[in-house]
Amino acid sequence: TPSFNVALIDSAVMESRFDTNLRLLPPLRGESDRAALVNAVKEGILSVSSAHTPWSRVEKELEFELAIPGAIGLETAFSATLSGTGDLFATVRAMSKAPAEVVGLDRRLAVGSQAEIVVLDPGTKWTVNEEGFESKSRNSPFTGMELPGSVVLTIHAGEVVYRNNLD
């Protein structure tokens, strides 16, 4: 399940006056569908992905129906999912343990293993600003929104690969 669909509903499209950053795949649905996704995430039935599909301004700055569906999602996925679920444990499980299990990975910390760690600050709030993205694309449905929680640091294969630049 993409993080967009856990946090947003279809009325956001009309409220935004058909901002093409909200033209997503799968498309946003109503509140009852979003609530069902959130419930499935909380029950451990669904994992959550970033649905990271960046597009250039040329591909997004068209009439709503002509714009290519998709948006960047990697940099907002944790915060968007936490915003939608309101549950830190379920969010972390749905974005780490559950996807790893789907592809057969064991990502437990153990002596002698390479670090695969994401350090989170669930208590922070931040406003999504497209200028702060690491991605070369800027098309986010969350631009201008305040979201809870942030990724502080990411370590992959024992090396720091990301440091939060929100401060």
Side-chain angles (χ1 to χ4, degrees):
T1 298
S3 59
F4 310 126
N5 298 82
V6 173
L8 299 169
I9 59 173
D10 57 359
S11 64
V13 174
M14 182 148 335
E15 291 167 7
S16 74
R17 298 185 160 198
F18 295 91
D19 179 349
T20 57
N21 289 327
L22 290 160
R23 181 152 158 70
L24 303 168
L25 192 62
L28 298 174
R29 304 288 186 204
E31 176 56 29
S32 64
D33 291 323
R34 188 196 74 78
L37 290 175
V38 167
N39 190 48
V41 168
K42 287 182 174 184
E43 290 181 11
I45 297 168
L46 286 179
S47 61
V48 176
S49 72
S50 70
H52 188 76
T53 50
W55 297 108
S56 71
R57 289 194 190 277
V58 171
E59 294 159 317
K60 291 301 277 188
E61 289 184 354
L62 300 167
E63 293 84 2
F64 191 82
E65 288 298 319
L66 298 177
I68 296 175
I72 63 172
L74 188 58
E75 293 169 272
T76 57
F78 167 70
S79 297
T81 305
L82 182 58
S83 172
T85 67
D87 184 324
L88 178 61
F89 179 77
T91 296
V92 170
R93 180 184 60 218
M95 297 188 78
S96 60
K97 184 178 180 190
E101 288 173 349
V102 167
V103 295
L105 295 176
D106 181 5
R107 293 296 189 196
R108 290 178 291 176
L109 290 177
V111 174
S113 67
Q114 286 190 324
E116 297 286 342
I117 300 169
V118 177
V119 178
L120 304 170
D121 181 352
T124 191
K125 290 184 187 238
W126 63 288
T127 301
V128 179
N129 176 350
E130 66 183 36
E131 300 309 316
F133 291 140
E134 296 289 327
S135 176
K136 292 180 181 177
S137 182
R138 301 287 179 250
N139 58 306
S140 172
F142 299 107
T143 299
M145 291 178 64
E146 185 178 77
L147 294 176
S150 65
V151 174
V152 175
L153 182 78
T154 303
I155 300 171
H156 171 64
E159 300 290 325
V160 174
V161 295
Y162 172 77
R163 279 189 203 281
N164 183 320
N165 65 356
L166 298 173
D167 297 333

